[in-house]
């Protein structure tokens, strides 16, 4: 029996883990204590990083992959999957995270990009990747490079959901548009989207995005999470929104529950009581162009 | 006959699709009253920690445990198998469980995501192998005498049945092959 052939690292296995995370909340954590709070609240996974986006905005400087020792500590501390961020194009950070046994890598615009033209060739890896996107073309370019899951970029570290809404609506309305096109229109559509033709054709035929599509960037309240789910997200990343709020334990749990029962306003109302202060928001218009993280990634 | 899929979290959509392919008209179950209105239930893949906590918090664990004890057919895949297992070993626990299936399970027993794999497995009663997808899958350490082992990998059970409880450490809902869902539906007719 031991000679059974096991295929690791295939597309179905990589995309499959994301399927298992659907309907769940993935929380940014910077320490073992935060990871345990997230797991106890019901997070489906944690994202290990050096600083949450709100602190990155406040402190500036070059932001890199988290210290491997910290990532290892978090892997040891929780039973749920552990994700970690690498810089755009920094394939060695990705190699390191894979060798440490991280379950998913987020090639993230929240960190300082390492390559201004190219993303990591994600096909080279056994570990799956999630990438951010602001529109369908960008999402499909990332899939073309081997990403197995996509999230909206939103505007990380602000507690402002407006850009996440914009990105999710943009991606989903482009899918609906492709689904209504004649076959002969698809090459022009691929050109306009700057996206691989085969993926454009696949979406036109199925009417569906081919991998799991989460939302991220600015989700701060249970109602924000439910809004994104009702708009069509498969699940929610919450970054600064939890551990920059007044009562992370209560808020983390409430966001999980609102994500599960996103269609039930009675439950969302109930879980939203008594959460203390939400993180202080930043108006997107007040952010200078050079600090717009969503513009990173190509 | 109403077949439900527990819809708190996980690959609910894939199970709905597989059950439809197998000839059922499944419904999503998220509330205690829905738990009472079904004749059989699928516990999908997902994060067992999360699903267990939500079952507990929203008053579903008690009614579900009771219905399984009274003989409602139930099929758990991956996280669902963990929720059904009587015993959990190893460092990762799973406190909120139905605990009705006489097996000992090690969570993430096949390793982390980089070790997740696909394999062709032989299933008792099938005339061709079944493509099985294992994702951070639970490992069945041992199975009691009343548990029928329907498939194995490396000498470990991966598909088991005890009475009207069916459980697999892999995900048949991901491959488009509905034979295991058909097997489950046949259990509703007393099969």
């Amino acid at each position: 029996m031991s000679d059974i052939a096991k295929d690791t690292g295939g597309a179905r296995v990589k995309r499959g883990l994301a399927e298992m995370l659907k309907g769940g909340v993935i929380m940014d954590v910077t320490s073992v204590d935060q990871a345990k709070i997230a797991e106890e609240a019901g997070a489906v996974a944690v994202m290990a990083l050096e600083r949450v986006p709100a602190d990155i905005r406040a402190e500036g400087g070059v932001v890199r992959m988290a210290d491997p020792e910290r990532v290892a500590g978090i892997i040891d501390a929780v039973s749920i999957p552990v994700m970690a961020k690498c810089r755009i194009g920094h394939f060695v950070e990705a190699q390191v995270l894979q060798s440490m046994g991280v379950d998913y890598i987020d090639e993230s615009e929240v960190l300082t990009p390492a390559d201004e033209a190219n993303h990591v060739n994600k096909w080279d890896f056994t570990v799956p990747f999630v990438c951010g996107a602001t529109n369908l073309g960008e999402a499909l370019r990332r899939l073309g490079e081997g990403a197995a899951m996509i999230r909206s970029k939103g505007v990380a570290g602000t507690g402002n959901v407006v850009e996440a809404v914009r990105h999710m609506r943009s991606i989903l309305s482009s899918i609906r548009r492709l689904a209504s096109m004649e076959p002969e229109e698809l090459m022009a559509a691929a050109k306009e989207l700057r996206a691989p033709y085969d993926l454009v054709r696949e979406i036109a035929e199925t009417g569906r995005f081919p991998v799991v599509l989460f939302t991220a960037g600015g989700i701060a309240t249970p109602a924000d999470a439910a809004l994104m789910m009702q708009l069509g997200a498969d699940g929610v990343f919450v970054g600064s929104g939890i551990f920059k709020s007044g009562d992370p334990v209560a808020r983390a749990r409430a966001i999980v529950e609102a994500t599960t029962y996103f269609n039930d306003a009675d439950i969302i109302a109930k879980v939203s009581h008594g959460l203390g202060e939400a993180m202080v928001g930043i108006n997107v218009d007040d952010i200078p162009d050079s600090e717009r993280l969503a513009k990173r990634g190509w | 006959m109403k077949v439900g899929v527990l819809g708190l979290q996980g690959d609910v959509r894939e199970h709905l699709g597989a059950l439809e392919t197998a000839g059922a008209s499944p419904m999503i179950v998220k509330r205690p009253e829905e738990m009472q209105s079904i004749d059989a239930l699928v516990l999908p893949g997902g994060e067992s920690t999360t699903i267990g906590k939500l079952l507990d918090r929203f008053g579903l664990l008690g009614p579900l445990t009771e219905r399984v004890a009274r003989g409602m057919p139930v099929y758990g895949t991956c996280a669902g198998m963990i929720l059904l297992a009587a015993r959990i070993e190893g460092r990762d626990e799973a406190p909120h469980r139905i605990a009705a299936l006489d097996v000992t399970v090690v969570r993430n027993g096949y390793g982390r995501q980089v070790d997740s794999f696909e394999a062709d497995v032989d299933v008792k009663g099938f005339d061709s192998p079944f493509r099985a997808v294992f994702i951070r899958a639970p490992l069945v350490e041992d199975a009691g005498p009343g548990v029928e082992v329907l498939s194995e990998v490396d000498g470990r059970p991966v598909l088991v049945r005890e009475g009207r409880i069916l459980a697999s450490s892999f995900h048949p809902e991901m491959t488009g092959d509905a034979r295991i869902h058909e097997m489950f539906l046949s259990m509703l007719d007393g099969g």
Side-chain angles (χ1 to χ4, degrees), chain A residues 6-7 20 101 103 260, chain B residues 9 30-31 112 131 154:
Chain A
K6 294 181 184 145
D7 302 329
M20 301 308 146
D103 295 299
T260 297
Chain B
Q9 190 273 312
K30 288 171 100 164
R31 293 180 175 74
R112 302 193 66 84
R131 187 70 173 167
D154 297 343

Side-chain angles (χ1 to χ4, degrees), chain A residues 20-238:
Chain A
M20 301 308 146
L21 303 176
K22 281 187 302 200
V25 181
I26 300 167
M27 300 183 191
D28 277 4
V29 298
T30 59
S31 68
V32 166
D33 286 348
Q34 289 185 356
K36 286 181 175 166
I37 289 171
E39 181 173 49
E40 186 53 40
V44 290
V46 291
M47 174 74 71
L49 73 173
E50 198 68 35
R51 288 180 274 165
V52 294
D55 289 336
I56 292 170
R57 282 193 186 282
E59 295 160 12
V62 174
V63 190
R64 312 178 179 93
M65 145 183 105
D67 179 345
E69 191 171 323
R70 188 177 310 196
V71 177
I74 291 168
I75 288 174
D76 270 348
V78 296
S79 66
I80 55 178
V82 176
M83 302 184 166
K85 289 183 191 282
C86 78
R87 284 180 266 177
I88 289 173
H90 205 314
F91 49 85
V92 176
E93 283 188 352
Q95 289 164 6
V96 169
L97 293 171
Q98 172 169 279
S99 102
M100 295 181 60
V102 160
D103 295 299
Y104 238 94
I105 295 177
D106 184 353
E107 186 185 17
S108 177
E109 73 283 0
V110 171
L111 310 191
T112 310
D115 188 325
E116 291 183 324
N118 309 295
H119 285 247
V120 172
N121 176 19
K122 294 165 272 289
W123 298 114
D124 272 355
F125 289 78
T126 307
V127 67
F129 280 74
V130 55
C131 289
T134 58
N135 57 51
L136 185 62
E138 190 176 9
L140 296 183
R141 290 195 293 279
R142 297 295 85 77
L143 293 189
E145 297 156 359
M149 176 183 186
I150 296 292
R151 55 170 174 77
S152 67
K153 282 182 175 172
V155 54
T158 62
N160 190 336
V161 79
V162 64
E163 292 290 297
V165 169
R166 188 204 313 275
H167 299 160
M168 190 59 63
R169 282 199 185 277
S170 168
I171 291 169
L172 294 175
S173 76
S174 295
I175 290 170
R176 285 190 292 270
R177 207 164 56 238
L178 286 183
S180 69
M181 282 183 180
E182 298 292 334
E184 59 269 29
E185 296 174 314
L186 295 176
M187 186 57 85
K191 183 182 166 196
E192 187 196 327
L193 287 165
R194 295 186 294 138
Y197 173 73
D198 289 346
L199 291 173
V200 168
R201 197 177 59 184
E202 184 186 336
I203 289 177
E205 283 168 2
T206 63
R208 276 185 48 184
F209 195 63
V211 304
V212 168
L213 177 64
F214 267 48
T215 185
I219 287 94
T221 68
D224 287 348
L227 170 70
M228 298 313 299
M229 293 297 287
Q230 287 197 27
L231 283 174
D234 288 323
V236 179
F237 283 91
V238 187

Side-chain angles (χ1 to χ4, degrees), chain B residues 64-140:
Chain B
L64 173 55
T65 306
E66 195 189 310
R67 292 224 51 197
V68 172
R70 285 198 318 232
M72 177 178 73
V74 61
Y75 173 32
T77 61
C78 194
M81 174 190 251
I82 294 167
L83 295 171
L84 288 167
R87 296 169 300 279
I88 302 290
E89 264 188 14
R91 46 155 251 172
D92 297 332
E93 295 170 359
H96 306 294
R97 300 200 314 281
I98 299 144
L101 174 66
D102 188 13
V103 296
T104 305
V105 156
V106 181
R107 289 187 59 196
N108 305 320
Y110 288 93
R112 302 193 66 84
Q113 172 61 16
V114 288
D115 307 306
S116 293
F117 64 97
E118 292 183 32
D120 290 319
V121 301
D122 292 321
V123 176
K124 216 179 257 185
F126 290 2
D127 47 19
S128 61
F130 194 93
R131 187 70 173 167
V133 183
F134 294 79
I135 295 175
R136 285 174 49 101
L139 180 81
V140 178

